[in-house]
Amino acid sequence: MVKIIGIVGSPRSNGNTENLVKEALQSAKDAGAEIELIKLGNAEIEPCIACDICKATGECAIYDDMGGILEKIRESHGLIIGSPVYFGSVTSQLKMLIDRSRPLRMDFKLKNKVGGAIAVGGSRNGGQETTISTIHDFLLIHDVIIVGDGAPLAHYGGTGVGSAKEASESDEVGLQTSRNLGKRVAELAMKINEN
Ligand SMILES: Cc1cc2nc3c(=O)[nH]c(=O)nc-3n(C[C@H](O)[C@H](O)[C@H](O)COP(=O)(O)O)c2cc1C
């Protein structure tokens, strides 16, 4: 069975990003995948210090929660990465994960996994697409296969609008694009790993 990991880049628990990532994961589960949620708001993650030890050894020299998170990502078949829009981009919590993921790139351990992105902003055009683009850059640079939310909408992934924590619960486009993204990630991961 394929395993799909959902990553919540928000520091807020039970907020809009968590809600939409959970919707996407439920949809991946309905399509036949095993799922797991990782919340960066609960994690101790230090920023990358550019010591380059990962270039020499493939291991990170910082010992915090990233070790366990990288291991889960490495063992997965697909990733759904969600972030609130902060000044048109991802949160610092997610950016720390992105930079600290460098050990996995040393011999392209994420190659041919499937990935997709979700972004939630307080405004309708508050930077959801630029935030998703940053997540897509991360996935591309790891040689992950990127999917969007598929037909019938078929755009960049999950795009939500809402400020108050529970706002995304009534955001039909955010919910639907996130569900569609979860299905796409799971279906392609199953296709790639079917043998
Ligand atoms: C520091 C900060 C910066 C933000 N910048 C933006 C922004 O550029 N565009 C936008 O639409 N919303 C912005 N917001 C609003 C959040 O994206 C929005 O409240 C989102 O729903 C939060 O997601 P969460 O509920 O998962 O924490 C910002 C919020 C914070 C705290």
Side-chain angles (χ1 to χ4, degrees):
M1 188 182 268
V2 299
K3 174 110 181 244
I4 309 295
I5 305 258
I7 296 175
V8 178
S10 176
R12 289 205 294 191
S13 205
N14 301 315
N16 298 305
T17 310
E18 183 172 334
N19 183 33
L20 294 185
V21 171
K22 281 179 172 168
E23 287 290 329
L25 282 182
Q26 184 57 47
S27 165
K29 188 176 179 189
D30 293 344
E34 194 185 324
I35 56 169
E36 184 171 346
L37 185 76
I38 296 175
K39 294 163 60 159
L40 300 186
N42 298 341
E44 294 285 335
I45 305 176
E46 295 293 321
C48 173
I49 54 169
C51 64
D52 278 349
I53 287 178
C54 61
K55 284 178 90 173
T57 68
E59 303 287 330
C60 185
I62 304 172
Y63 294 95
D64 57 14
D65 289 343
M66 253 331 266
I69 293 172
L70 290 185
E71 194 51 27
K72 285 176 195 278
I73 291 174
R74 197 182 63 74
E75 288 171 353
S76 75
H77 302 92
L79 299 168
I80 295 165
I81 302 179
S83 181
V85 181
Y86 278 13
F87 287 91
S89 191
V90 297
T91 59
S92 37
Q93 287 80 0
L94 182 55
K95 188 63 169 75
M96 284 198 276
L97 177 145
I98 288 173
D99 295 344
R100 292 281 307 285
S101 73
R102 196 180 187 209
L104 295 179
R105 192 176 181 272
M106 290 306 139
D107 52 0
F108 289 96
K109 293 193 178 70
L110 305 189
K111 181 176 180 174
N112 291 340
K113 295 187 192 298
V114 181
I118 296 173
V120 197
S123 301
R124 177 161 307 283
N125 58 340
Q128 286 82 344
E129 290 181 6
T130 49
T131 301
I132 285 176
S133 179
T134 297
I135 298 171
H136 283 175
D137 290 344
F138 160 65
L139 295 169
L140 265 179
I141 289 167
H142 273 292
D143 217 356
V144 170
I145 301 166
I146 297 170
V147 296
D149 51 296
L153 295 176
H155 289 110
Y156 293 83
T159 50
V161 183
S163 289
K165 267 186 164 187
E166 64 289 344
S168 57
E169 288 168 20
S170 54
D171 172 20
E172 275 313 316
V173 173
L175 292 166
Q176 200 55 57
T177 52
S178 299
R179 287 183 198 126
N180 292 350
L181 177 78
K183 184 164 179 270
R184 284 287 291 144
V185 170
E187 283 179 348
L188 186 58
M190 289 192 290
K191 190 103 192 128
I192 289 170
N193 295 284
E194 69 188 358
N195 294 322

